[in-house]
Amino acid sequence: MDQLPAASASAATIAANLARVRERIAEAVARANRPAGSVTLVAVSKTQPAEAVRAALAAGQTVFGENRVQEAAAKFPPLRAAHPALRLHLIGALQTNKAREAVRLADVIESLDRPRLAAALAEAMRREGRRPTLLVEVNTGDEPQKAGVPRAEAEAFLRACRDEYGLAIAGLMCIPPAGEDPRPHFEYLAGLAAKHGLGVLSMGMSADFEVAIACGATHVRIGTAVFGARPRP
Ligand SMILES: *Cc1c(COP(=O)(O)O)cnc(C)c1O
């Protein structure tokens, strides 16, 4: 038999998954003695069909994350037209030649990680007259193959964003190395954000969002636990 791509989850399954994830977020927030509602769920819909996003919207989810500009551009403009409250976060590695389209599409860009991209985004924001919220992605594990500014360069890069490129940075994002205890990475990111007075901390995915919330995450990016296994792109 030919291999079939994994079918996307039904609307009922997505609604049930969302309810359960929201409950787990609320419990983790309470355990951390943090105010109710202090963590935003970013539902990561990459590789999922528009129907899956519509099912989540119908279940009250308004904040979504995508990691490819092209996929977001194909999927989101009609959804946004139908749901003005929708907010789109771009969370994937961003090429400088996609900066302009990213600025047009996104409400939040979470993956600013190098000077050339900072320059491209500053220019795109000027041309488009649109200013998405920006987060700097830190490669907390200093993994060579991974996006994100290396730890040793993070502070200088934050200063350069502000002083050289005139960009307001709202916060930080990280993806800890797979198969490692994520807690030290989350703690490091939280410490760096506090030192620089940055209020937004995007950290935690399906497997580790409760730990991230204990460490101060304000945004958790959750795909599989909401939409089920990703269909092959
Ligand atoms: C895919 C992705 C996620 C979601 O991962 P899950 O394990 O499916 O929850 C979160 N953040 C980024 C940057 C991603 O690319």
Side-chain angles (χ1 to χ4, degrees), residues 44 46 67 91 173 175 205-206 221-224 230:
V44 177
K46 64 185 184 199
N67 68 343
I91 61 177
M173 183 270 245
I175 310 168
M205 319 203 310
S206 291
R221 308 178 310 269
I222 302 183
T224 337
R230 274 184 280 280

